[in-house]
Amino acid sequence: MDPQKFSRKLWSARKQLILMLAPLLLLPLLFVVPPKEGKCLYVVLLMAVYWCTEALPLAVTAMLPVCLFPTMGILPSKKVCPQYFLETNFLFLSGLVMASAIEEWGLHRRIALKVLKIVGVKPAWLILGMMITSSFLSMWLSNTATTAMMLPIANAILESLFGNLETLKENCKDKSDPEGGCGEVHVVCVTNRSEQKNLKEVRKEAEYQMKVWKGFLISIPYAASIGGTATLTGTAPNLILVGQLKSYFPECDLINFGSWFVFAFPLMLLFLILGWIWIAFLYENDMCTISGFPSVIDEDYKKLGPIKFAEGSITFFFIMFAILLFTRDPKFVTGWSVFFTKGYVSDAVTGVIIISILFFFPSQCPSLCWWFDSRASNTPYVPLLSWRKAQECVPWNIILLLGGGFAMAKGCEESGLAVWIGNHLQPLAQVPPAVAVILITAFIACFTEFASNTATIIIFLPVIAELAIRVNVNPLYFMIPATTGCSYAFMLPVSTPPNSIAFASGHLMVKDMVKTGFVMNILGILCVSLAMNTWGLHMFSLHTYPDWARPLNASSATVATHAMATMNMTG
C-alpha cells in the first residue's frame, strides 16, 4: 500500500487506535509504581491521554473513575459517585441557569449596545467597549456563551458600518496588479492617474476596515476568557480549585465567591486594560473616527424598545445574585452568613435560592384588575424561565467534567498518589517560590493551548498542591496562579471554545491569533505574578505556611525528619 494512503488511514482511525493502545502502553505502571499508587496513576494518565486527544468525549472520560476506581480497588463506589455532584457543582449550575435567563430575554444585547453608546466612536474605544461588555458578561455567563452572544452583535454592527465582508476583502486586493487579473487593462490603469489614485485609496480604506474588523472579533473571545477569571462561577477551573481545596484541605475556608472576587477582579481589570492596549496598537493605531457609527448604535438600541418587565426583573435578580454571593462571607468584613448556623450556608445555597425564584416569578407585570375583569384572558402566566429552556442551555457535560475532576482528586488523595508524586518533586525545592509562580503559570498556559482548560487543571492541580507542601510553601501560592493561568490560552483556535467560535466565523486567520495571542500570554503571566506577590500575598497570607495545610503532610514530615536525622548521623 502507498505509504501516504496508509498514513491517511491511520489518521482517520487515530481515536480508535488511541482508545485501544493507551491502556496497553500504560500497563507497566502497575508493576513499576507501588500497588495502590500505581493503579491510581494508571487511571489518571489514561484519563489525561483521553482528555488531551479527545479519543472519547470529555464527559465520558470524566466518568471513567466510576468504572475503574472501584474495580481496581482504589476507591469504593460510595466514595466516588458523590464527587459528581458536590456543592461546587450546584454553584456552577446556578450560574448557568442565570445565564440562560439573561439570554432568554436578550438582556446581554441591551447591555452591549448601551456600553458601545457610552464609549464613543473611535475604533480603539469601540474595541474597549466590546471587551468591557464581553468580560462583564463572562463573569456571570460561560465564556463560550458570552462569545456566541457577542459575535453576532459585533458582526451586525460592523456590516452596518463597512458593508459586506466579501466586498471588503475584494477591495483589499490590488486591482492594478497584472497577476490579480487585470492583464492588458494595466496600461489603462497607469495612464489614468486619478483612477489609480482612487483605487489605492479604496484599497487602503478597505485594509484599514479589515484590520478594525479583525480587532473587534479577536477582542471578544480574549475578553471573555479574561473576564471568566474574575468570579468563581465565571469558568470551570475556578470551581475545580474550590472543590479540590475542600478535598485536600478541608480546613481551608479562604476561597469563596467574595474573597475570590476581591482578588481576581483587579487582576482581570489590569489584564483587560493591557490586552486592550496591545490589540488597539496591533489593529487600530491611528485613532480615527468611524463615521455613521453613533446612528447605527442608536438605531439598534431603539429597536429594543423600552425595558420590559421581564428584563427589569432579570436585572434585579441578577444584581441580587451577585450581591448575595459577594457579601455572604467576603472575609475582609462580616458577611450575612453569621445569621445562620456556622458552616451551613454556602455559595451554592445562595445561588440555588435565587435561580429557583426565576422558575415561578412572572414575566409580565401582575395586575389585581385581572381578577375582576371577566373579559381578560385566562391563559396561564409565563415565568421568567422555563425548565425546558434551562435544560437546553445548561451544558451538562461540563458538570460531569467537574465531577470527574473531583473524583480524580479524591482518588489521588486516598490512594497516596499525591504524596508519592510529591516525593519525586523534592528537587524543585531549590527554585525560589516567586520564580516557581511564573514557571507554573507559563507551563499551564502553554499546556492548555492544546488541551481543555478544565482537563488541564484537573490533571495538574493535585500535583501542584503536593509540590507546594513539599517545598513548604502556602499551597494557594501555587494553586491560584495555575488555576488562573489555564484560562490564558489565546494563541490557537483550538485552545478554547471562544477562540474556536471566533475563528469559525471565517474572518480570522491562525497567524492573527498566534501574533496577538503570544503577547497576550506573556502579559497574562506577568499580571498573575504581580497579583500573587502584591495584594494576593496579603489577602491570603501567602508568606506563611498555614495550619490548614499541615495535617496533610504530617506523615511525610515525619519521614522527612527521620531522613534528616539519618543524614546528620552519617555526616
Side-chain angles (χ1 to χ4, degrees):
M1 186 185 287
D2 181 17
Q4 193 173 3
K5 289 183 178 178
F6 183 68
S7 62
R8 285 177 185 169
K9 285 188 178 293
L10 280 177
W11 180 252
S12 63
R14 67 190 183 283
K15 290 189 176 181
Q16 290 80 359
L17 290 171
I18 291 168
L19 276 172
M20 291 185 293
L21 293 176
L24 297 174
L25 294 173
L26 292 172
L27 274 177
L29 289 172
L30 299 176
F31 307 101
V32 176
V33 183
K36 202 164 186 181
E37 292 92 329
K39 291 175 183 177
C40 188
L41 183 62
Y42 176 84
V43 176
V44 168
L45 290 180
L46 185 65
M47 290 174 71
V49 170
Y50 286 170
W51 267 330
C52 293
T53 60
E54 295 190 30
L56 281 175
L58 296 180
V60 176
T61 302
M63 291 190 287
L64 287 180
V66 177
C67 315
L68 298 179
F69 278 180
T71 53
M72 295 179 74
I74 300 166
L75 270 182
S77 60
K78 65 181 180 181
K79 284 191 176 182
V80 180
C81 294
Q83 304 301 316
Y84 285 81
F85 236 101
L86 299 174
E87 63 176 350
T88 309
N89 298 71
F90 275 102
L91 177 59
F92 186 57
L93 179 64
S94 63
L96 294 171
V97 172
M98 178 59 72
S100 64
I102 290 169
E103 185 182 355
E104 172 77 0
W105 296 103
L107 186 60
H108 63 289
R109 185 173 180 83
R110 189 178 291 277
I111 292 169
L113 293 174
K114 189 67 178 176
V115 171
L116 291 175
K117 279 183 70 175
I118 293 168
V119 293
V121 294
K122 295 183 187 297
W125 292 110
L126 294 174
I127 289 171
L128 178 62
M130 277 291 174
M131 292 182 75
I132 289 171
T133 309
S134 300
S135 59
F136 173 74
L137 290 174
S138 185
M139 287 164 59
W140 316 101
L141 285 62
S142 74
N143 303 350
T144 308
T146 299
T147 307
M149 289 175 183
M150 290 298 295
L151 277 175
I153 296 172
N155 278 322
I157 291 168
L158 290 165
E159 281 180 12
S160 301
L161 291 168
F162 301 147
N164 186 272
L165 183 68
E166 296 306 318
T167 308
L168 210 58
K169 287 179 179 177
E170 190 65 30
N171 289 339
C172 286
K173 295 176 182 175
D174 191 350
K175 303 289 178 67
S176 64
D177 186 358
E179 294 179 4
C182 288
E184 295 174 4
V185 184
H186 180 56
V187 180
V188 179
C189 292
V190 173
T191 309
N192 192 342
R193 301 282 181 181
S194 61
E195 187 179 340
Q196 188 180 24
K197 188 178 179 182
N198 287 338
L199 283 173
K200 283 184 177 178
E201 286 176 357
V202 168
R203 183 162 59 88
K204 188 177 179 182
E205 186 181 0
E207 286 173 352
Y208 169 74
Q209 290 174 350
M210 275 298 296
K211 278 182 71 178
V212 172
W213 200 308
K214 285 182 178 182
F216 260 72
L217 297 187
I218 210 165
S219 69
I220 291 169
Y222 288 2
S225 295
I226 295 168
T229 61
T231 61
L232 281 184
T233 54
T235 186
N238 296 354
L239 292 163
I240 289 166
L241 169 67
V242 175
Q244 294 206 6
L245 275 174
K246 287 178 181 176
S247 176
Y248 278 97
F249 309 108
E251 300 300 316
C252 176
D253 62 348
L254 291 174
I255 304 290
N256 59 40
F257 191 94
S259 62
W260 179 266
F261 184 84
V262 172
F263 165 75
F265 185 71
L267 170 60
M268 184 271 285
L269 279 181
L270 175 64
F271 190 16
L272 195 72
I273 291 166
L274 292 176
W276 166 65
I277 291 170
W278 168 239
I279 292 171
F281 169 77
L282 208 57
Y283 293 97
E284 202 296 297
N285 48 27
D286 59 5
M287 294 293 284
C288 70
T289 300
I290 298 179
S291 58
F293 187 83
S295 58
V296 170
I297 295 296
D298 286 338
E299 189 179 333
D300 285 352
Y301 193 78
K302 283 175 184 174
K303 285 178 184 175
L304 296 176
I307 295 179
K308 302 176 186 68
F309 179 79
E311 286 180 88
S313 302
I314 289 292
T315 305
F316 171 77
F317 287 118
F318 174 60
I319 292 169
M320 285 295 295
F321 179 79
I323 290 173
L324 289 175
L325 284 173
F326 180 75
T327 57
R328 183 187 68 82
D329 185 18
K331 299 301 176 187
F332 58 90
V333 292
T334 305
W336 56 262
S337 61
V338 295
F339 297 110
F340 299 91
T341 307
K342 187 177 180 181
Y344 275 52
V345 178
S346 66
D347 288 336
V349 175
T350 311
V352 171
I353 288 171
I354 295 295
I355 64 164
S356 299
I357 298 171
L358 302 179
F359 289 100
F360 65 81
F361 196 86
S363 59
Q364 293 183 339
C365 185
S367 173
L368 286 173
C369 300
W370 178 82
W371 292 96
F372 306 103
D373 188 356
S374 58
R375 292 174 297 177
S377 171
N378 292 326
T379 53
Y381 82 97
V382 178
L384 287 173
L385 188 64
S386 66
W387 179 248
R388 178 175 292 180
K389 176 65 180 176
Q391 217 168 3
E392 288 171 359
C393 293
V394 172
W396 300 100
N397 59 323
I398 302 297
I399 291 175
L400 284 174
L401 194 56
L402 284 174
F406 299 147
M408 183 192 281
K410 192 71 175 174
C412 290
E413 179 194 351
E414 296 272 340
S415 67
L417 177 62
V419 175
W420 182 85
I421 291 172
N423 290 333
H424 289 77
L425 295 174
Q426 197 65 39
L428 294 175
Q430 307 303 319
V431 180
V435 176
V437 166
I438 295 174
L439 294 176
I440 288 168
T441 313
F443 172 75
I444 295 292
C446 291
F447 191 90
T448 197
E449 293 285 354
F450 308 97
S452 154
N453 60 353
T454 309
T456 299
I457 203 65
I458 288 170
I459 294 164
F460 288 108
L461 210 53
V463 177
I464 289 165
E466 195 60 36
L467 170 63
I469 291 170
R470 291 292 154 181
V471 300
N472 208 37
V473 169
N474 189 317
L476 291 178
Y477 191 60
F478 287 173
M479 294 173 81
I480 291 174
T483 304
T484 311
C486 78
S487 293
Y488 294 167
F490 303 110
M491 286 177 61
L492 297 172
V494 296
S495 301
T496 63
N499 288 9
S500 301
I501 292 169
F503 184 76
S505 66
H507 310 333
L508 294 171
M509 291 185 284
V510 174
K511 67 177 184 179
D512 296 322
M513 301 198 85
V514 172
K515 179 174 63 175
T516 315
F518 179 74
V519 175
M520 290 291 290
N521 278 9
I522 293 171
L523 290 173
I525 292 163
L526 294 176
C527 287
V528 170
S529 179
L530 176 67
M532 292 305 299
N533 291 291
T534 50
W535 66 89
L537 199 71
H538 299 288
M539 268 193 66
F540 302 119
S541 301
L542 299 177
H543 51 282
T544 59
Y545 192 79
D547 290 335
W548 48 260
R550 294 188 191 282
L552 251 188
N553 67 332
S555 58
S556 57
T558 306
V559 173
T561 306
H562 178 70
M564 287 294 291
T566 307
M567 287 172 65
N568 291 336
M569 288 173 67
T570 55

